[in-house]
């Protein structure tokens, strides 16, 4: 009897084991099996992992629209929603904080020997027109671009959906159309001032002596000092890079596919943030950072003592070329 019970137990155990193996086998076989993307019950996540994208079939000629999801799209979205906002906030707010501290520490750089009452032309009317056209476009491009990056988290809750939509639509049109005069401005700046912006040995000396803005020194400089040359090249290279990448985005799929556009957007946005930070520094020195600098681009002339202190070699060249090149400043009425 005991033998019989033992035998039954053995058979029951063997049967249970066989059933367990039979049930487990399809599951393990399923894991390694290739996915059939057209199967009706295929899982989205599994498909994304296996194929790297979720793609269907379509009936319109634009085959790009058949791709519904791709992993690079998720990485790009994370860049746009998180990483870019950090880069932008650190670059722009960091530069603003730096300028505030610098101003509190250094104050305005004054014309040390006072105003001479004589003026010399620094930028002609055409140069000033090009500068202000490019600068105005740049400011609108910067504000409308920052709205794409930061508008949704910062302005939408304040303005409400309707006002935010109207403003964003307007800003987007401005960004698209002002890109053309801005690009023309960058090309003209490149051609107009390239002659004075090739680095030379005077720049090394200028940097070594703190450029006259960190200390009270007045290192000699030709028409543009090393700091201004740096701004020039930032405008030419930064402006060129934002134009090329911007037009790739403005005219989608003409020159590149979706991956190229994702790269173009990343380069465009990062260059834009650094460009804005650099221009804040430029605006600071041209206004509250240095006495007598703004009038160079405002009226086109500077005080001779300002020129002596900041651009002595240029002033000497100008006076050699035209000894009577200075005019008496009009007394204020
Ligand atoms: C010169 C030509 C430029 C062109 C053709 C251009 C074009 C574009 C386009 C098409 C977009 C994408 C807009 C969208 O997603 O709907 C964009 C975004 C942007 N642009 Fe420009 N842009 C130019 C210059 C600039 C400049 C000079 C700046 C900065 C001062 C700038 C800052 C930005 C910023 C911050 C974004 C948003 C990035 C993001 O969050 O995705 N752009 N631009």
């Amino acid at each position: 009897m005991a033998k019989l019970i033992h035998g039954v137990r053995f058979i029951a155990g063997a049967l249970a084991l066989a059933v367990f193996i039979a049930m487990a086998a399809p599951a393990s076989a399923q894991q390694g099996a290739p996915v059939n993307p057209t199967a009706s019950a295929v899982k989205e996540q599994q498909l994304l992992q296996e194929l790297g994208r979720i793609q269907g079939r379509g009936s319109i000629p634009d085959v790009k629209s058949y791709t519904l999801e791709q992993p690079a799209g998720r990485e790009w979205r994370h860049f746009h929603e998180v990483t870019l906002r950090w880069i932008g906030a650190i670059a722009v707010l960091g530069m603003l904080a730096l300028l505030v501290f610098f101003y509190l520490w250094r104050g305005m750089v004054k014309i040390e020997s006072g105003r001479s009452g004589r003026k010399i032309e620094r930028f002609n009317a055409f140069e000033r027109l090009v500068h202000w056209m490019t600068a105005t476009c740049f400011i609108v491009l910067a504000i409308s671009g920052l709205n794409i990056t930061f508008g949704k988290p910062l302005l939408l809750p304040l303005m409400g959906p309707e006002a935010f939509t109207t403003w964003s639509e307007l800003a987007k049109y401005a960004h698209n159309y002002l890109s053309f005069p801005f690009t023309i401005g960058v090309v003209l700046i490149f051609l107009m001032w390239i002659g004075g912006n090739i680095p030379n040995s005077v720049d090394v000396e200028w940097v070594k002596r703190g450029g006259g803005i960190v200390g009270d020194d007045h290192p000699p400089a030709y028409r543009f000092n090393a700091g201004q040359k740096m701004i020039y090249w930032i405008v030419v290279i930064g402006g060129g890079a934002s134009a090329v990448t911007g037009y790739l985005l403005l005219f989608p799929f003409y020159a590149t596919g979706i991956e190229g556009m994702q790269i173009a957007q990343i380069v465009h946005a990062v260059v834009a943030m650094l460009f804005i930070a650099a221009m804040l520094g430029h605006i600071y020195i041209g206004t509250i950072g240095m006495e007598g600098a703004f009038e160079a681009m405002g009226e086109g002339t500077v005080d001779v003592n300002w020129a002596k202190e900041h651009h002595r070699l240029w002033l000497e060249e100008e006076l050699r070329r035209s000894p009577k090149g200075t005019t008496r400043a009009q007394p204020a009425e």
Side-chain angles (χ1 to χ4, degrees):
M1 189 63 183
K3 259 190 178 172
L4 187 68
I5 291 170
H6 186 74
V8 170
R9 260 195 205 153
F10 178 78
I11 292 166
L15 271 174
L17 186 67
V19 168
F20 180 74
I21 291 170
M23 282 172 70
S28 63
Q30 209 177 37
Q31 271 176 9
V35 175
N36 174 8
T38 54
S40 57
V42 76
K43 292 218 168 38
E44 189 183 297
Q45 188 58 35
Q46 196 185 0
L47 197 60
L48 193 62
Q49 275 164 6
E50 294 262 341
L51 302 178
R53 56 183 55 221
I54 298 178
Q55 200 158 353
R57 291 204 192 102
S59 55
I60 57 170
D62 182 7
V63 286
K64 294 188 299 298
S65 66
Y66 305 169
T67 301
L68 300 175
E69 279 191 52
Q70 47 145 349
R74 295 176 179 206
E75 285 157 23
W76 176 79
R77 187 177 58 197
H78 186 265
F79 166 80
H80 189 258
E81 304 289 300
V82 182
T83 319
L84 175 62
R85 288 185 186 153
W86 275 106
I87 295 174
I90 291 170
V92 176
L93 297 180
M95 178 56 90
L96 279 175
L98 209 78
L99 293 173
V100 169
F101 282 122
F102 188 75
Y103 183 72
L104 293 176
W105 172 66
R106 177 68 170 90
M108 181 184 256
V109 177
K110 297 273 184 197
I111 303 175
E112 214 177 288
S113 46
R115 287 181 181 269
S116 67
R118 294 202 74 80
K119 300 223 146 206
I120 181 161
E121 186 182 56
R122 184 144 168 85
F123 294 113
N124 65 31
F126 181 71
E127 288 174 307
R128 282 179 285 144
L129 178 79
V130 170
H131 174 272
W132 288 119
M133 178 191 75
T134 316
T136 311
C137 293
F138 178 86
I139 291 169
V140 179
L141 286 168
I143 293 171
S144 53
L146 288 175
N147 183 57
I148 298 168
T149 315
F150 293 106
K152 209 161 37 139
L154 296 184
L155 295 183
L156 177 60
L158 294 176
M159 299 170 82
E162 277 183 25
F164 181 69
T165 305
T166 311
W167 147 246
S168 296
E169 198 180 354
L170 228 143
K172 182 68 181 105
Y173 276 124
H175 201 89
N176 288 357
Y177 287 110
L178 289 187
S179 71
F180 298 103
F182 173 77
T183 307
I184 294 170
V186 170
V187 172
L188 290 175
I189 283 176
F190 170 69
L191 297 173
M192 226 163 48
W193 290 329
I194 176 81
N197 280 288
I198 306 292
N200 57 32
S201 55
V202 175
D203 300 322
V204 180
E205 181 65 15
W206 189 89
V207 172
K208 273 191 197 153
R209 288 168 59 176
I213 186 141
V214 179
D216 288 322
D217 200 0
H218 295 300
Y222 285 102
R223 189 175 188 204
F224 299 114
N225 61 38
Q228 290 165 323
K229 287 180 184 178
M230 219 165 73
I231 292 293
Y232 170 86
W233 287 109
I234 287 173
V235 169
V236 169
I237 296 168
S242 45
V244 170
T245 51
Y247 290 126
L248 287 176
L249 297 172
L250 200 53
F251 301 103
F253 302 113
Y254 278 91
T256 168
I258 188 79
E259 289 86 0
M261 285 185 52
Q262 282 167 346
I263 294 169
Q265 192 278 340
I266 291 171
V267 174
H268 188 78
V270 173
V271 166
M273 297 304 169
L274 301 178
F275 202 179
I276 293 169
M279 286 305 111
L280 286 174
H282 173 66
I283 294 167
Y284 168 82
I285 304 213
T287 54
I288 58 168
M290 179 177 281
E291 183 185 5
F294 188 81
E295 53 210 55
M297 213 37 102
E299 303 150 21
T301 56
V302 287
D303 191 274
V304 169
N305 280 356
W306 181 92
K308 252 186 217 154
E309 289 177 15
H310 300 299
H311 297 274
R312 185 163 52 77
L313 303 172
W314 167 72
L315 178 67
E316 286 166 10
E317 264 179 358
E318 289 296 301
L319 292 180
R320 259 199 308 275
R321 228 163 32 94
S322 150
K324 292 201 179 112
T326 63
T327 51
R328 185 159 294 283
Q330 296 295 315
E333 287 176 27

